Amino acid sequence: LKIKQDELQKVVDSLNKLDQELQGAKAKKDKLAADVADCEQKLDRAQKLITGLGGEKARWTAQAQTLGEQLTKLTGDVLLAVAVIAYLGPFTAFYRTSIMQDWVRLCMEKEIPCSDSFSLINVIGDPVKIRAWNIHGLPKDEFSIENGIIIDQGRRWPLCIDPQGQTNKWIRNLESSRELRAVKLSDDDLLRNLETAITYGKPVLLENVGESLDASLEPVLMKQTFKQGSRHCIKLGDSVMEWSSEFTLYITTKLRNPHYPPELCTKVSLLNFMITPDGLEDQLLGIVVATERPDLEEEKNQLIIQSAENKRQLKEIEDKILEVLSKSEGNILDDATAVQILSEAKIVSDDISKKQVVAEATEKKIDEARVGYKPVAKHASIIFFAVADMANIDPMYQYSLTWFIGLFVRGIHDSPKSEVLTERLKKLNDFFTFFLFRQVCQSLFEKDKMLFAFLLASKLLLGQSDAVEGEMEPAELRFVLTGGLDTGDNPHPNPSKDWLSDKAWGEICRLDQLSPAFEGIRQSVVSHLVDWWKLYNSTSPQDDPLPEPWQDNLNIFQRILVLRTLRADKLVPAIQKYVIAIMGEKYVAPQPFNLQPIYKESSCAVPLIFVLSPGSDPFSSLLTFADTLGRRVESVSLGQGQGPVAQKWIDEGVHAGFWVVLMNCHLATSFLPTLEVICEKQLTAPSAHKDFRLWLTSYPSSIFPISILENGVKVTNEPPKGLRAGLLRLYESDPISDSKFFNGCQKTDEWRKMLFSLSVFHCVIRQRRAFGPIGWNIPYEFNENDMRISVRQLQMFIDEYDEIPFATLAYTCGECNYGGKVTDGQDRRLLMTILDQYYTPAALEDNYKLSPGGMYYIPPRCEYNEYIAYVQSLPLIAPPEVFGLHDNANINKEMQETNLLLNSLMLTQSRDSSAGGVSAEDIIASTSEDILNRLPPDFNLELAIAKYPVTYLESMNTVLTQELGRVNGLTSVIRKSLVDIGKAVKGLVVMSAELEKVGTALGSGQVPALWLKKSFPSLKPLGPYIKELLERIHFFSNWLNEGPPTVFWFSGFFFTQAFMTGAKQNYARKHKIAIDLIDFDFVVKDGENDCVVPPDDGAYVNGLFIEGSRWDPVLHTLNESEPKVLFSPFPTLLLKPAQITEFAKFPNYNCPVYKTSERRGVLSTTGHSTNFVMDIRVPSDKPEAHWIKRGVAMLTSLDD
């Protein structure tokens, strides 16, 4: 049994072993089966991953390589990016690009790795976020996107310079979902709104700030938070509140060129958000395509939104894939969830990618169709910037982008249609250009309408890519404005000094070097003097052909450059002719004043603004217009205490629907901010009556709110120009137009003749303003009120006296009514002299002549209609003789107009643009260096005082040393400013506001105001000024080294009165006579050998010029000027001190002497202008009144 049991046990053990082996084999089989299943799953997952992500291999490999390259350049790129955010916000696109290029070059020089073509957008821009910004209204140009990134990434709150309101609109759209609060500094609840926003993390938009911010905002600007328990808090005013990290502050200003102090700039991120040409062009293209092809634009907008959504989803999917891959531990094939997520993500990704490819292909087709309309967008963009530049000329010329776009849309709808695209575009451009021109012109003064037409023509031509007739280069335009920049001596001798001035010859020489088109013109003038003299001597040189070959070789604009050199006085008609040739005659035709269409442009929410000019009074026209419409009008003349009255009438008018007129807004400085709030909130309220209108009148003023100007309808209504128009206006206005008044005098014959005489007098003294300083030293604002009171006094005195009291009339009219405004002594003498011609018994004679030619006379007794008929028969433009002036005065008048036009045009020129490939900085640097090299060292005053000590009998020693001190003071200022500006343009020192003004003046060929503070009075441009300064230094140097001259250069003294006092003092001390009994008598020394040795008493002086007449060396008396000769040198004078009682008696004209041709200056304690030097008695064979009316005066310095 035991044996059997043992055998059984063996069998059992064997069976157990086999069973174990079986179980092991089964386990192995199960494991192998599991491994197979797992392997199959992994293969499946691997297949999915390979299939899913395999397509990404090429892209991700390339991206990995790109990221690798970027990683090596990351240091420099991040350095540049933070520098852009920190420093470049305030700069324009041009300067920003230039500075970034310099920084990239600097990084490479310092071996800091960075991208060759650095772009802030590529380095830290988020394409998805940028696309979202564009959808919300951020312009698509690179400059605007960079600004968006600076706002997004910067740590300081942004202060955006936003004159066109683009940023404001974008921020409102961007933050609308977060309950944006828009506030102003003037709001009463400003701090309360801020507190709420800070606590609850809402965005705040602080709009339309000025050049300073309220001090109460300091904690918010500086983010002065502190911890109170577990909360972050901030103290605002007296309140402490919780600080939410979600709070955002945006600040915007509508000022075009604000000057913020450095302490404010360090607290905010100052950003220049002025719209760029590219950004505006893209917007206008969208508008024109949306109007012309709404199907295309709608599809385009849908694609933009779809594309933005696709890119957002792709970015999310890509981020999800990377997140899964980065979080997966071990073998990713073991993570079924991860593989599932990746697979699904890829399916969605592929679907989106396909849609994106289709969308991009469709968008490309749409863009190709849109490109056809691009010329219109470019054209309109150029026009907008021309309109925007007008704000540099007058603060009232403000036009918003919203207003411009509104006109653009109207222009698209109203312009002639055509099926042919090219024809349609041309008609649209032509229609819109003139439509906008008319709209702008109704708000421009007459003096600026021609300027605006030329500005449009020049901007459009400079923006043309294809060559056209009249094409211009920036360097050519700058030459027209400045005549070229030159501070050195002209190496080429003047070929004909008898008719060709040195100034004109210098400009011809500079024109010869301007461009290849003008090469040889200098030699042409030398070789064909007679032909060029004929052009110079022509009465209308702008219409005459240039000497060959220049007429054929030069285009119409280049001919203007030639005319500028020879006859600058004809530049305005030449520019008018150019505008007609390029733009059409309608651009120079007068624009009629009519309130009806202007009224139609307005609404209860749009104020109407009359921009006033001297002599204009639109109130009577407005009342007449209101009567025709049956409207009630309430008016308030603003001034002290009138603000609440104006507010009351507006409150009533808004509800009742009558008109409110606020006059003289420029005087109501404190009320204007309130008025701005009224216009923004009260007028735009739904409850405002549709018939309500707010009319405002104001002289040009920089304090007038920009928002009112931009959103209002601006109108100018100037008084008529010309004697005929002025007379008609008087006879058609109250009180003369009132038949009861006109026929109400007992002595009808005398009354009507004297009335006409007074009317002509009024128009003559008003129109003399147009001739500049030769007409009046100070341009007085004589107006209809002066005339009305004088007319009523005239009627009263004629009725009350048996004989007409001419002396009384002359006193009341000349000394009181008109003379009350006259502050200059010479002007008062002129006024009374002119009045003597009109208030005279001779005026009662039939056909009394008012002009030497006899065309203007006082008609014999006539009825009212006969006077009107006579006035209408007079010439449109009165000859200078009517005003008592020489025919040359027309040249003065035309030169005034030319200078005004050129100076205004210069204000519209940007310093961004280079002239002939040379940057403004290069011009400033080279000009500074040239002047510095020519300046001699300062005088040694100690040596001068030792050589010319103060002595009792020689006062001229003191005069010399004082003058040398003044020269040193001026040259020191010039030298220091030139050295500093040279360093500033290289970036070695800070460009202060003062230095910037110096640089701007040097770049435009003007004398910096900084120099003029220490200088002798001068109106010369930079080149002639430096030349005169060196001549003065040479004059004093010769005096210092060689002794007093025989003939003193009177014009060379800084303080002329000191020299005159010195000459009197020497005479008084020599002859022991009290100096207050002495004055100068004058002897003209026009002989060749009259001044060989110094005089016994007094001094010989030269260097004076006479304007309005000339000295006749044959007759030894004053005589009429030669044609086209405005200034002629006056012979040497002997200033002969003598007792006043012993002066020689001879027929003379008491001729005033001024330092500059401007004549006006500050009224000093002597009763004379600071520009006035003295009166000189000059021999004359004509009555003194003749030369007084001619405006004859002597000058110590000319303008060129």
Side-chain angles (χ1 to χ4, degrees):
L1 183 63
K2 176 71 171 130
I3 293 169
K4 293 295 181 182
Q5 285 177 331
D6 289 341
E7 286 176 357
L8 180 62
Q9 187 61 45
K10 284 179 184 178
V11 172
V12 170
D13 290 343
S14 177
L15 191 63
N16 287 338
K17 186 178 178 185
L18 287 171
D19 188 51
Q20 284 177 356
E21 286 176 1
L22 177 63
Q23 293 301 324
K26 280 182 178 179
K28 191 174 181 183
K29 177 193 169 191
D30 291 343
K31 183 177 180 301
L32 286 172
D35 286 347
V36 168
D38 185 44
C39 189
E40 284 176 351
Q41 281 184 341
K42 285 182 178 178
L43 280 171
D44 183 50
R45 290 171 188 164
Q47 185 64 37
K48 286 179 180 177
L49 283 177
I50 290 167
T51 306
L53 301 181
E56 299 293 321
K57 180 181 178 183
R59 186 168 72 84
W60 284 18
T61 304
Q63 195 168 352
Q65 189 175 346
T66 305
L67 288 170
E69 291 172 5
Q70 287 178 355
L71 185 63
T72 59
K73 298 176 179 179
L74 196 60
T75 307
D77 285 349
V78 170
L79 173 66
L80 292 171
V82 295
V84 170
I85 292 172
Y87 299 116
L88 297 192
F91 291 97
T92 61
F94 175 84
Y95 279 111
R96 202 180 280 184
T97 305
S98 173
I99 292 168
M100 282 197 283
Q101 288 170 351
D102 289 344
W103 285 352
V104 168
R105 190 174 63 250
L106 194 63
C107 282
M108 290 179 172
E109 287 173 5
K110 301 293 183 186
E111 297 183 356
I112 300 171
C114 67
S115 300
D116 297 338
S117 53
F118 169 80
S119 166
L120 184 69
I121 298 169
N122 292 340
V123 175
I124 55 175
D126 181 342
V128 175
K129 196 177 278 188
I130 289 169
R131 184 58 72 101
W133 293 343
N134 294 149
I135 291 169
H136 284 118
L138 183 71
K140 297 174 185 174
D141 60 289
E142 190 172 327
F143 180 72
S144 299
I145 292 170
E146 284 177 357
N147 284 338
I149 292 171
I150 294 172
I151 287 178
D152 187 53
Q153 299 289 335
R155 292 187 176 182
R156 291 179 291 194
W157 304 127
L159 197 172
C160 307
I161 300 166
D162 180 37
Q164 288 90 22
Q166 292 284 101
T167 319
N168 204 301
K169 181 181 171 185
W170 169 59
I171 291 169
R172 283 173 179 270
N173 292 338
L174 184 69
E175 298 286 12
S176 59
S177 59
R178 292 182 57 210
E179 300 174 30
L180 174 77
R181 293 168 183 254
V183 295
K184 292 186 176 64
L185 284 174
S186 55
D187 289 354
D188 296 333
D189 56 353
L190 169 65
L191 290 181
R192 190 165 65 252
N193 273 316
L194 266 178
E195 288 173 15
T196 307
I198 289 170
T199 304
Y200 295 104
K202 302 297 181 186
V204 170
L205 172 59
L206 182 57
E207 301 176 300
N208 299 353
V209 300
E211 292 189 342
S212 60
L213 293 180
D214 199 296
S216 61
L217 299 176
E218 178 96 359
V220 182
L221 296 180
M222 301 296 290
K223 299 183 182 176
Q224 293 173 348
T225 59
F226 55 90
K227 265 205 160 186
Q228 200 171 65
S230 61
R231 300 182 307 161
H232 278 89
C233 296
I234 189 168
K235 186 174 182 181
L236 191 60
D238 296 328
S239 307
V240 174
M241 67 217 65
E242 188 172 351
W243 174 271
S244 169
S245 59
E246 296 296 310
F247 167 72
T248 317
L249 175 65
Y250 303 94
I251 310 171
T252 64
T253 178
K254 290 189 80 71
L255 301 176
R256 287 168 58 84
N257 190 21
H259 293 275
Y260 288 110
E263 57 270 21
L264 177 59
C265 294
T266 58
K267 296 170 189 170
V268 296
S269 178
L270 193 60
L271 286 176
N272 184 350
F273 252 103
M274 288 185 72
I275 195 162
T276 62
D278 289 344
L280 179 59
E281 194 177 315
D282 185 76
Q283 283 185 62
L284 296 175
L285 180 60
I287 290 166
V288 72
V289 175
T291 312
E292 294 283 290
R293 294 285 304 275
D295 55 324
L296 279 184
E297 195 60 19
E298 178 63 27
E299 196 174 350
K300 167 83 173 174
N301 290 335
Q302 289 299 326
L303 283 173
I304 287 172
I305 295 167
Q306 183 187 332
S307 179
E309 180 61 23
N310 289 345
K311 287 185 176 178
R312 184 188 64 76
Q313 287 184 15
L314 277 174
K315 181 77 168 60
E316 285 178 2
I317 288 165
E318 191 173 285
D319 291 344
K320 197 173 183 182
I321 290 171
L322 291 173
E323 184 186 6
V324 168
L325 291 175
S326 62
K327 286 184 177 178
S328 177
E329 295 178 0
N331 190 342
I332 193 169
L333 297 177
D334 293 332
D335 190 342
T337 309
V339 173
Q340 184 66 26
I341 289 169
L342 292 176
S343 300
E344 289 173 2
K346 180 57 185 171
I347 292 166
V348 177
S349 172
D350 286 345
D351 183 46
I352 291 172
S353 295
K354 285 174 186 174
K355 285 181 183 175
Q356 189 66 12
V357 169
V358 174
E360 284 173 2
T362 310
E363 190 171 359
K364 190 176 180 183
K365 285 180 185 175
I366 292 171
D367 285 341
E368 286 171 3
R370 290 171 95 238
V371 162
Y373 292 92
K374 199 163 186 182
V376 170
K378 184 176 178 64
H379 184 92
S381 172
I382 291 169
I383 291 175
F384 173 77
F385 286 102
V387 173
D389 283 338
M390 296 298 291
N392 296 320
I393 296 170
D394 193 290
M396 305 301 272
Y397 296 165
Q398 302 284 348
Y399 307 93
S400 71
L401 183 60
T402 308
W403 169 85
F404 179 84
I405 288 174
L407 288 185
F408 185 56
V409 172
R410 279 176 60 189
I412 295 169
H413 285 301
D414 297 347
S415 56
K417 305 292 187 284
S418 173
E419 294 299 321
V420 182
L421 184 61
T422 52
E423 283 183 23
R424 167 64 177 146
L425 298 185
K426 185 180 186 311
K427 287 177 178 178
L428 177 51
N429 279 345
D430 293 345
F431 179 86
F432 175 66
T433 306
F434 186 61
F435 174 59
L436 178 117
F437 177 77
R438 278 186 310 162
Q439 293 289 327
V440 173
C441 275
Q442 75 180 18
S443 61
L444 299 182
F445 293 120
E446 283 298 325
K447 66 183 180 68
D448 296 323
K449 288 178 182 176
M450 174 58 63
L451 178 149
F452 179 55
F454 177 71
L455 188 63
L456 274 182
S458 61
K459 293 272 187 187
L460 288 170
L461 281 172
L462 288 170
Q464 295 269 2
S465 54
D466 52 335
V468 289
E469 171 62 14
E471 184 182 10
M472 62 174 71
E473 295 294 330
E476 292 173 354
L477 178 59
R478 197 154 189 85
F479 185 90
V480 169
L481 300 181
T482 65
L485 187 59
D486 185 31
T487 56
D489 293 324
N490 191 344
H492 308 288
N494 187 334
S496 185
K497 281 182 175 287
D498 55 334
W499 65 269
L500 187 61
S501 69
D502 288 338
K503 174 177 181 279
W505 176 240
E507 288 186 4
I508 288 169
C509 294
R510 291 193 287 279
L511 183 62
D512 186 79
Q513 300 170 349
L514 183 68
S515 72
F518 298 99
E519 197 171 331
I521 197 166
R522 175 176 57 80
Q523 191 55 46
S524 173
V525 173
V526 174
S527 307
H528 303 89
L529 270 174
V530 175
D531 293 339
W532 288 97
W533 175 82
K534 286 178 183 174
L535 182 70
Y536 166 81
N537 207 42
S538 169
T539 54
S540 54
Q542 72 278 9
D543 298 325
D544 294 347
L546 299 181
E548 290 300 340
W550 303 103
Q551 180 66 21
D552 296 330
N553 290 355
L554 301 179
N555 68 30
I556 185 171
F557 182 71
Q558 290 169 334
R559 289 174 213 143
I560 292 178
L561 276 70
V562 178
L563 184 70
R564 189 217 195 283
T565 63
L566 289 174
R567 289 291 299 276
D569 57 303
K570 294 297 180 183
L571 213 52
V572 172
I575 284 175
Q576 184 177 30
K577 188 178 174 184
Y578 175 77
V579 169
I580 291 171
I582 300 300
M583 306 288 286
E585 195 155 350
K586 58 187 177 182
Y587 284 87
V588 298
Q591 304 287 326
F593 174 76
N594 188 352
L595 278 175
Q596 184 66 44
I598 294 165
Y599 174 71
K600 284 183 179 177
E601 295 280 328
S602 70
S603 69
C604 60
V606 177
L608 296 106
I609 306 146
F610 280 109
V611 186
L612 302 176
S613 58
S616 68
D617 183 14
F619 188 58
S620 56
S621 304
L622 179 57
L623 288 178
T624 307
F625 178 63
D627 284 341
T628 61
L629 296 179
R631 295 282 190 269
R632 173 187 164 195
V633 177
E634 296 293 344
S635 64
V636 180
S637 183
L638 291 177
Q640 191 169 8
Q642 293 302 300
V645 180
Q647 175 89 57
K648 178 178 82 73
W649 282 122
I650 291 171
D651 290 344
E652 288 186 25
V654 165
H655 293 104
F658 58 79
W659 293 1
V660 176
V661 184
L662 304 185
M663 296 187 285
N664 300 323
C665 292
H666 58 286
L667 301 177
T669 309
S670 59
F671 179 65
L672 287 177
T674 308
L675 181 62
E676 185 176 15
V677 174
I678 289 170
C679 291
E680 285 184 7
K681 294 184 178 176
Q682 200 169 342
L683 302 195
T684 54
S687 58
H689 196 289
K690 65 180 179 64
D691 291 336
F692 171 76
R693 292 293 184 277
L694 178 62
W695 301 79
L696 310 172
T697 74
S698 174
Y699 278 94
S701 171
S702 57
I703 62 170
F704 202 94
I706 293 174
S707 63
I708 299 179
L709 290 170
E710 287 188 340
N711 298 319
V713 176
K714 297 179 288 298
V715 192
T716 56
N717 179 26
E718 296 178 77
K721 289 191 173 152
L723 196 62
R724 187 178 84 177
L727 280 170
L728 273 176
R729 183 179 173 113
L730 288 180
Y731 268 78
E732 290 172 352
S733 304
D734 184 68
I736 302 177
S737 61
D738 182 356
S739 59
K740 186 178 177 183
F741 180 82
F742 184 76
N743 299 313
C745 188
Q746 299 164 13
K747 301 170 187 170
T748 307
D749 191 39
E750 292 92 332
W751 154 244
R752 292 185 182 178
K753 285 180 177 178
M754 291 302 295
L755 174 63
F756 188 82
S757 185
L758 175 61
S759 300
V760 176
F761 164 76
H762 173 81
C763 294
V764 162
I765 62 173
R766 271 191 58 79
Q767 297 302 321
R768 277 185 72 105
R769 285 163 44 100
F771 295 94
I774 205 167
W776 293 104
N777 287 356
I778 298 169
Y780 302 101
E781 311 293 353
F782 301 122
N783 57 36
E784 274 78 358
N785 290 330
D786 304 319
M787 175 67 183
R788 286 189 195 108
I789 187 67
S790 299
V791 165
R792 295 186 187 282
Q793 286 175 348
L794 176 65
Q795 190 182 73
M796 181 182 73
F797 282 123
I798 290 176
D799 273 342
E800 291 183 1
Y801 287 81
D802 296 332
E803 296 289 327
I804 297 176
F806 286 101
T808 306
L809 284 170
Y811 182 83
T812 56
C813 179
E815 296 287 353
C816 303
N817 303 339
Y818 288 94
K821 295 179 176 179
V822 179
T823 55
D824 185 279
Q826 301 298 334
D827 284 342
R828 186 174 288 274
R829 177 178 75 158
L830 170 62
L831 180 72
M832 297 310 295
T833 302
I834 294 174
L835 187 58
D836 285 345
Q837 180 186 353
Y838 296 94
Y839 269 10
T840 171
L844 301 178
E845 299 169 6
D846 284 349
N847 300 321
Y848 171 64
K849 292 181 180 179
L850 299 175
S851 67
M855 180 181 292
Y856 293 78
Y857 59 89
I858 299 177
R861 179 180 170 181
C862 300
E863 293 306 315
Y864 177 79
N865 290 336
E866 293 172 298
Y867 279 110
I868 296 288
Y870 168 68
V871 170
Q872 288 175 333
S873 71
L874 296 174
L876 185 63
I877 298 173
E881 66 170 28
V882 180
F883 308 100
L885 297 164
H886 188 272
D887 285 347
N888 281 354
N890 267 340
I891 300 177
N892 286 78
K893 181 181 175 184
E894 288 164 349
M895 280 306 299
Q896 287 270 117
E897 292 169 355
T898 295
N899 290 333
L900 180 63
L901 179 74
L902 296 182
N903 291 338
S904 298
L905 270 172
M906 182 63 82
L907 295 173
T908 67
Q909 301 304 301
S910 165
R911 274 187 59 191
D912 281 4
S913 56
S914 57
V918 183
S919 70
E921 285 73 17
D922 291 340
I923 294 171
I924 292 168
S926 63
T927 304
S928 303
E929 189 176 351
D930 179 48
I931 296 172
L932 276 172
N933 291 337
R934 298 177 64 199
L935 276 181
D938 288 350
F939 289 108
N940 188 321
L941 286 182
E942 291 184 4
L943 289 177
I945 292 169
K947 189 172 181 180
Y948 293 92
V950 177
T951 60
Y952 182 75
L953 293 176
E954 188 48 85
S955 298
M956 288 300 171
N957 290 0
T958 305
V959 173
L960 173 63
T961 52
Q962 286 178 349
E963 287 292 307
L964 295 181
R966 293 186 184 100
V967 172
N968 282 357
L970 173 58
T971 53
S972 297
V973 168
I974 293 175
R975 196 176 285 111
K976 182 177 186 307
S977 63
L978 290 177
V979 170
D980 287 348
I981 194 68
K983 290 178 179 177
V985 294
K986 293 175 184 174
L988 302 176
V989 298
V990 173
M991 179 72 83
S992 65
E994 191 174 66
L995 276 182
E996 187 179 7
K997 289 176 184 173
V998 171
T1000 302
L1002 293 177
S1004 56
Q1006 302 300 317
V1007 182
L1010 178 67
W1011 301 1
L1012 290 173
K1013 288 178 185 175
K1014 287 280 186 181
S1015 169
F1016 47 90
S1018 179
L1019 300 177
K1020 295 179 185 288
L1022 184 62
Y1025 175 86
I1026 295 298
K1027 185 179 179 184
E1028 183 180 355
L1029 172 62
L1030 296 175
E1031 287 171 353
R1032 286 172 184 255
I1033 293 172
H1034 180 68
F1035 165 66
F1036 289 121
S1037 182
N1038 284 349
W1039 184 350
L1040 181 64
N1041 298 324
E1042 299 170 14
T1046 303
V1047 180
F1048 289 91
W1049 183 30
F1050 194 65
S1051 305
F1053 292 96
F1054 278 62
F1055 188 46
T1056 323
Q1057 279 80 359
F1059 167 74
M1060 290 156 54
T1061 304
K1064 286 183 193 174
Q1065 241 174 23
N1066 283 350
Y1067 179 83
R1069 290 171 177 175
K1070 177 180 175 183
H1071 296 282
K1072 298 183 172 55
I1073 302 171
I1075 196 167
D1076 56 354
L1077 301 176
I1078 296 169
D1079 206 345
F1080 285 119
D1081 205 357
F1082 305 94
V1083 181
V1084 180
K1085 297 290 183 180
D1086 54 4
E1088 286 186 16
N1089 300 313
D1090 283 357
C1091 309
V1092 177
V1093 294
D1096 293 333
D1097 293 312
Y1100 292 129
V1101 296
N1102 64 8
L1104 290 170
F1105 302 88
I1106 191 163
E1107 181 182 18
S1109 69
R1110 66 183 174 90
W1111 177 257
D1112 191 325
V1114 178
L1115 300 175
H1116 302 288
T1117 184
L1118 281 181
N1119 208 336
E1120 299 292 357
S1121 300
E1122 297 285 355
K1124 295 189 179 64
V1125 179
L1126 302 182
F1127 307 95
S1128 50
F1130 200 78
T1132 301
L1133 265 175
L1134 169 61
L1135 302 186
K1136 183 181 177 183
Q1139 292 193 56
I1140 298 168
T1141 55
E1142 297 174 2
F1143 280 4
K1145 301 274 193 290
F1146 57 90
N1148 68 81
Y1149 165 58
N1150 214 26
C1151 182
V1153 181
Y1154 298 97
K1155 294 175 184 175
T1156 67
S1157 66
E1158 190 178 32
R1159 300 195 187 186
R1160 67 187 294 182
V1162 180
L1163 197 65
S1164 63
T1165 51
T1166 62
H1168 291 299
S1169 151
T1170 49
N1171 206 342
F1172 177 80
V1173 181
M1174 63 177 170
D1175 288 316
I1176 293 179
R1177 293 195 306 146
V1178 185
S1180 169
D1181 58 0
K1182 289 185 174 68
E1184 188 172 36
H1186 176 81
W1187 301 117
I1188 291 173
K1189 286 189 278 188
R1190 284 280 194 265
V1192 174
M1194 290 191 202
L1195 308 172
T1196 65
S1197 175
L1198 300 183
D1199 296 357
D1200 48 49

